[in-house]
Amino acid sequence: MKTTRVIVGPQELLNACCTVINDHGRFITMVASDECGMGIDRFVVRYIFAHDGKSMLTVVESVVPESDPTYPSVSSMIPAASWAEREAHDLFGIFPIGHPDLRPLVLHEHWPEGVYPLRKDYALTEKQEQDFSRSWSYPKVEGEGVFEVPVGPIHAGVIEPGHFRFQVMGDSVLHLEAKLFYTHRGIEKRSEGMPVEKGLYLAERICGVCSVSHALSYVQAIENISGTEVPERATFLRVLFAEMERLYNHVGDIGNMCAGIGYAYGINHGARLKEQLMQMNDFVIGHRFLRGSIALGGITENITEEKLMFIEVTLQQVQKDLNEIVGQILSHDTVVNRFSNAGVLSEQIARELFTVGPTARASNYDVDVRRDLPYAAYSQLAFDVPTLTQGDVLARFKQRFLEARQSFQIIEQVIKNMPKGDICVPIGDLHPYSFGIGITESPRGENLHFVMTGENNTIYRYRVRSAPYANWPAVPLCVPGNIIPDFPLINKSFELCYACCDR
Amino acid sequence: MIEIEEKLSSRIKQCFGRSLHIRHVDSGSCNGCEFETTALMNPVYDIQRFGIDFVASPRHADMLLVTGGVTRNLEEALRKTYEAVAHPKMLVAIGACACVGGMIGSTYANLGGVDKIFPVSVYVPGCPPRPQAILEGILHAIERSHELESPRKGNGAYATGTSNV
Ligand code: SF4
């Protein structure tokens, strides 16, 4: 992938970003870094844009000096940049002037002010006392008959933590405020100084259920720096693993969405098929989540003909069952009734917030980096990118089914056309202080990894923009007007992982 | 597997009448350990047939199942949940992160292991442990439950034998 760098002063940032947007650039994220180790004074912000269909990225970057750590916020023009700028404020202490909402994001209010853990002079394991005197502030709706319902961070089921405040009138939600980043573990800081080979294991553990996609984004970023050509057979096997990951997620989510309305038939069949797929993963790779399959320069282990045949046979059966189950679910009036018009994400919001993945595509925003910024062997395979227009829970349900059908087809082609040859090549030494970007389409949408190398093949800065990070800001906007009991359903239909958002 | 299942049902009957109630807490996991815990309830493992159920309130729980290495942002919530569980407090640490911090370990935002703040009855290693290993961990915890007094006098816990992956 070709990357064009546009280097400007802080004052020209906003203009430069707008120029790229007007040139049909799609905003992905902003990456901040502390580059004092490279003799730069001191911080750098990089706004990353994709040019879909042209396999091209534009990076607009500017130095932010330590003496005056401010830069004009881009969020007023590009609302999708809001979180990234808030995060950089939390972790690096650089101030986006004019940002509409600089409340703490990643580090909650109990973190002391003026302490910035991602600066290079902050030690990885240094802990800070919790200051419980400060409380969380958030916008409220007030008035007669308006009540507030707090939920979480620990939820009733076996699910991840997040805190939600619903302001309601009767059953109807007027406003939803979500507080996330409870599972912020400091993964990016942990990676600094790690050998790049070890960083791969960390990348796989950002998110359990998108391990392949994260691992792939990571190795692509590194291969981007080293200029490595991955052997053809490995590119095909990478596609195979990525689609196996998509399948167990999509099939599992089809069942999970039924859990949002307590529809036992859908829940149990979804869970059964997902288990079958995960057992297939285990048999093929030796890991139910396909961890350990991707390597720098290729893949870790060859897949034998017998295993490929086993995949083919298993998937034929799963596909048959899935068709039947989805047909059954969608023939149920109650299901269709609950799914329709719930949690509508309008096309306009989907586009303005640069949402990604099945969420975006179910709202008629046609983005998929497998087609738009092709990687591995995707450019050699024929597949459709389905889209729907309604943007409600029903659309997101159908979207997953349509995409699963494409995945079956992709895997079929991969197995049929599997080239022979090597599966891995050495990546060689990496030039210190260069950066690479890897982008892949996970089951939840595009994951971007930015890796900057340090001395001796180590990591200097690592930033991960996962698909949920792009989509979470859209969720609270889809809830007002719905009733509280529909929230679990709406939330499940987005199926946004917290772990890879929070890192 | 069948041996574990038989032992598990009979120990649950002996120790808890007919049911064991578990409260799960994600203290900062990657979602992998959650998926495997959820898998216990799918039609293949179906742990409800042993009388095990996951409950919404820690006050109804006989056992805490913790995943993740305790992030700074969740420490308080985990403490409150732990306090709400009735004595004797059985705590099972699921996965490398909950056991020892895993790949992430101790950072500015992560404590790196549940036993940094609470005594752990059983450690179930793995990243994530397979559903069978989680089940075995639950069985070990029940077998040790008589060692727990109220309030608990903490002593050495042990790890399960089926470390996976
Ligand atoms: S032990 Fe592994 S699977 Fe479990 S939370 Fe930690 S990284 Fe994820």
Side-chain angles (χ1 to χ4, degrees), chain A residues 445-465:
Chain A
E446 98 196 330
N447 284 331
L448 175 143
H449 288 217
F450 170 99
V451 184
M452 182 176 265
T453 49
E455 308 277 352
N456 304 320
N457 294 348
T458 56
I459 300 172
Y460 183 80
R461 166 83 173 118
Y462 182 27
R463 165 81 157 92
V464 176
R465 198 302 312 261

Side-chain angles (χ1 to χ4, degrees), chain A residues 200 215-216 219-220 223 228-239 241 292-302 422-427:
Chain A
L200 174 56
L216 256 183
V219 297
Q220 284 180 17
E223 288 157 6
T228 308
E229 279 289 331
V230 177
E232 209 189 3
R233 183 174 174 85
T235 61
F236 272 69
L237 286 167
R238 282 180 174 184
V239 171
F241 303 151
S293 55
I294 307 289
L296 287 165
I299 58 153
T300 51
E301 216 186 302
N302 212 346
D422 288 345
I423 53 160
C424 199
V425 291
I427 52 158

Side-chain angles (χ1 to χ4, degrees), chain A residues 127-128 155 182 275 288, chain B residues 23 30 36 45 71-72 106:
Chain A
K127 307 265 192 296
Q128 299 292 331
H155 297 286
Y182 281 93
E275 177 67 26
R288 286 162 58 89
Chain B
R23 172 68 245 207
C30 77
E36 293 301 58
Y45 304 101
T71 61
R72 174 189 163 87
S106 165

Side-chain angles (χ1 to χ4, degrees), chain A residues 238-348:
Chain A
R238 282 180 174 184
V239 171
L240 175 69
F241 303 151
E243 295 305 317
M244 282 162 73
E245 175 169 270
R246 193 175 328 279
L247 271 182
Y248 85 77
N249 273 287
H250 277 4
V251 170
D253 288 340
I254 283 172
N256 259 339
M257 283 164 77
C258 296
I261 55 168
Y263 179 42
Y265 172 88
I267 302 171
N268 286 310
H269 279 294
R272 171 179 70 82
L273 288 185
K274 179 175 133 198
E275 177 67 26
Q276 194 178 349
L277 289 168
M278 290 182 78
Q279 289 186 5
M280 176 182 86
N281 296 347
D282 200 1
F283 175 75
V284 176
I285 304 291
H287 198 286
R288 286 162 58 89
F289 296 85
L290 301 164
R291 282 182 180 162
S293 55
I294 307 289
L296 287 165
I299 58 153
T300 51
E301 216 186 302
N302 212 346
I303 304 297
T304 58
E305 285 301 317
E306 293 75 55
K307 285 188 175 173
L308 291 178
M309 257 165 66
F310 177 76
I311 295 174
E312 248 186 328
V313 175
T314 310
L315 292 190
Q316 274 164 9
Q317 201 199 332
V318 171
Q319 187 171 10
K320 192 171 142 271
D321 285 9
L322 185 68
N323 286 340
E324 189 186 327
I325 292 161
V326 170
Q328 186 70 31
I329 294 171
L330 290 179
S331 68
H332 203 303
D333 287 346
T334 317
V335 175
V336 176
N337 191 297
R338 289 285 306 272
F339 282 8
S340 302
N341 299 321
V344 176
L345 172 65
S346 70
E347 183 180 339
Q348 190 197 352

Side-chain angles (χ1 to χ4, degrees), chain B residues 41-60:
Chain B
M41 287 175 279
N42 75 25
V44 176
Y45 304 101
D46 189 20
I47 56 163
Q48 277 158 337
R49 70 202 150 111
F50 309 124
I52 301 177
D53 210 356
F54 283 87
V55 291
S57 168
R59 295 194 194 281
H60 301 159

